[in-house]
Amino acid sequence: MGNINCNEPFIKAQHITKSYHGKKALENISFNLSSGQILGLLGHNGAGKSTLIKTLLGMHSCAGELSIFNLSPEKHREKIVENLAYISDVAMLPDWMTVNQLMAYTAGVHYRFERQKMQQYLVQTKINLNSKIKTLSKGMKVQLHLALVMATNVNVLILDEPTLGLDLMYRSTFYRTLMAWFTEGERALIIASHEVNEIAHLLTDVLVLKNGQAVLQASLSSLATEFTILSVNEDNIVAAKELNPLTVNCQLGQYRLLFEGVDASRLTQLGDISQPSLADIFLAKQQEAAV
């Protein structure tokens, strides 16, 4: 496909809507993804994460405007996947191949694949090049898939619950390797997950879906000014509730309220303020959307 223009967004999505049997699986989703961005696509099962990913991969048609590298995913899928890759929690590698055969095959079909680079990645694992893929553990298969993708030097990588079912050691290694690769070039990531705490520290942006709709869309840096936790005692709880918190939790007589868009100076008159975690905000927006 040639060189990608890194001065404009890799992905441009405007008013993406997808319906199944009259029910909207995605409704009016808009976002851009540019080099240097790591977008967390968050939501519970059935929120629309997988539908959006399949749409980006050209597996679904949709209403609205969608382009990846200025191409249509539906019409130009073969060109797009030269520079875009996908990893899910489901093993998608050919089980009957050995690791060496997989590398030889990929070298034949992907012009950007660097076999030497993949071998360098695999040296850091316990994966034997002569092993059949079906004999590898789930953790090893995920490491193998990541090494394969990183050696193709794509610009955009979409990850759908990539560490589901892996132990903490594999998860930690996976994300550390991924971030080292990310910083090497003009790259962007989409990480879909319901494990908010696990990926929060990696993200530059977040898109939270609930029933196919965006209930939160923001840069991580803007969340710090938009959301605030207020801790108050019984004396000030009535006044605090009058400022319309998103959520109220009580433990041992101490109330913890999460606010969106309320001036911190108003809150400090009532109690102590602090910064909520992304998981706090995620849960609050899910509850709000359920009301």
Side-chain angles (χ1 to χ4, degrees), residues 143-196:
Q143 285 182 317
L144 177 62
H145 202 162
L146 181 61
L148 185 73
V149 165
M150 292 190 302
T152 58
N153 295 306
V154 294
N155 297 95
V156 175
L157 176 53
I158 299 175
L159 304 153
D160 189 4
E161 304 280 4
T163 59
L164 203 65
L166 300 189
D167 65 31
L168 282 174
M169 186 187 74
Y170 272 122
R171 288 177 182 216
S172 175
T173 303
F174 177 88
Y175 284 117
R176 190 170 61 249
T177 308
L178 176 67
M179 294 313 294
W181 170 84
F182 175 75
T183 57
E184 286 175 359
E186 300 287 347
R187 287 162 182 160
L189 296 173
I190 295 176
I191 307 177
S193 181
H194 65 277
E195 295 283 353
V196 182

Side-chain angles (χ1 to χ4, degrees), residues 70-84:
N70 285 325
L71 298 169
S72 161
E74 265 194 284
K75 297 175 184 173
H76 305 290
R77 190 177 175 194
E78 284 187 16
K79 282 190 177 297
I80 286 171
V81 296
E82 292 175 6
N83 295 284
L84 178 148

Side-chain angles (χ1 to χ4, degrees), residues 271-287:
D272 297 325
I273 64 169
S274 58
Q275 184 59 46
S277 68
L278 181 58
D280 289 330
I281 298 169
F282 170 74
L283 289 171
K285 297 304 286 187
Q286 292 288 331
Q287 290 171 25

Side-chain angles (χ1 to χ4, degrees), residues 38-42 175 179 191 193-206 219-221 223 276-282:
I38 303 176
L39 175 67
L41 181 58
L42 307 178
Y175 284 117
M179 294 313 294
I191 307 177
S193 181
H194 65 277
E195 295 283 353
V196 182
N197 283 330
E198 182 175 278
I199 65 168
H201 67 290
L202 307 174
L203 307 178
T204 63
D205 297 86
V206 63
S219 67
L220 263 285
S221 57
L223 295 182
S277 68
L278 181 58
D280 289 330
I281 298 169
F282 170 74

Side-chain angles (χ1 to χ4, degrees), residues 84-258:
L84 178 148
Y86 167 67
I87 298 177
S88 77
D89 72 305
V90 181
M92 300 173 70
L93 302 173
D95 264 3
W96 52 272
M97 279 187 178
T98 66
V99 176
N100 267 323
Q101 287 171 331
L102 177 67
M103 288 194 288
Y105 170 78
T106 307
V109 298
H110 204 300
Y111 81 99
R112 295 183 72 180
F113 178 70
E114 295 180 32
R115 183 170 184 146
Q116 188 178 1
K117 198 170 192 177
M118 181 163 177
Q119 286 174 323
Q120 287 171 355
Y121 288 128
L122 292 180
V123 166
Q124 302 164 41
T125 72
K126 295 179 180 177
I127 297 170
N128 187 311
L129 300 185
N130 295 314
S131 294
K132 284 207 167 181
I133 293 170
K134 66 182 175 187
T135 67
L136 301 178
S137 68
K138 178 164 185 179
M140 285 183 174
K141 285 178 181 176
V142 171
Q143 285 182 317
L144 177 62
H145 202 162
L146 181 61
L148 185 73
V149 165
M150 292 190 302
T152 58
N153 295 306
V154 294
N155 297 95
V156 175
L157 176 53
I158 299 175
L159 304 153
D160 189 4
E161 304 280 4
T163 59
L164 203 65
L166 300 189
D167 65 31
L168 282 174
M169 186 187 74
Y170 272 122
R171 288 177 182 216
S172 175
T173 303
F174 177 88
Y175 284 117
R176 190 170 61 249
T177 308
L178 176 67
M179 294 313 294
W181 170 84
F182 175 75
T183 57
E184 286 175 359
E186 300 287 347
R187 287 162 182 160
L189 296 173
I190 295 176
I191 307 177
S193 181
H194 65 277
E195 295 283 353
V196 182
N197 283 330
E198 182 175 278
I199 65 168
H201 67 290
L202 307 174
L203 307 178
T204 63
D205 297 86
V206 63
L207 173 59
V208 178
L209 298 181
K210 169 88 175 182
N211 296 328
Q213 297 181 328
V215 293
L216 176 65
Q217 188 168 3
S219 67
L220 263 285
S221 57
S222 72
L223 295 182
T225 55
E226 194 65 20
F227 293 88
T228 311
I229 292 278
L230 172 67
S231 298
V232 299
N233 56 27
E234 196 77 47
D235 297 339
N236 288 328
I237 184 61
V238 174
K241 284 183 175 179
E242 287 175 353
L243 297 174
N244 297 319
L246 288 179
T247 57
V248 181
N249 294 300
C250 181
Q251 278 189 324
L252 302 173
Q254 188 76 7
Y255 292 87
R256 193 169 180 266
L257 303 89
L258 177 62

Side-chain angles (χ1 to χ4, degrees), residues 4-17 28-35 37 39 52 55-57 62-74 80 84 156 158 188 190 207 217:
I4 299 296
N5 182 357
C6 297
N7 294 321
E8 62 176 288
F10 293 145
I11 297 177
K12 290 180 273 193
Q14 293 292 316
H15 312 298
I16 300 303
T17 298
N28 201 29
I29 304 297
S30 299
F31 69 95
N32 286 347
L33 186 76
S34 299
S35 178
Q37 282 185 284
L39 175 67
L52 179 55
T55 304
L56 294 173
L57 295 173
C62 65
E65 296 177 28
L66 175 62
S67 71
I68 301 179
F69 313 128
N70 285 325
L71 298 169
S72 161
E74 265 194 284
I80 286 171
L84 178 148
V156 175
I158 299 175
I190 295 176
L207 173 59
Q217 188 168 3

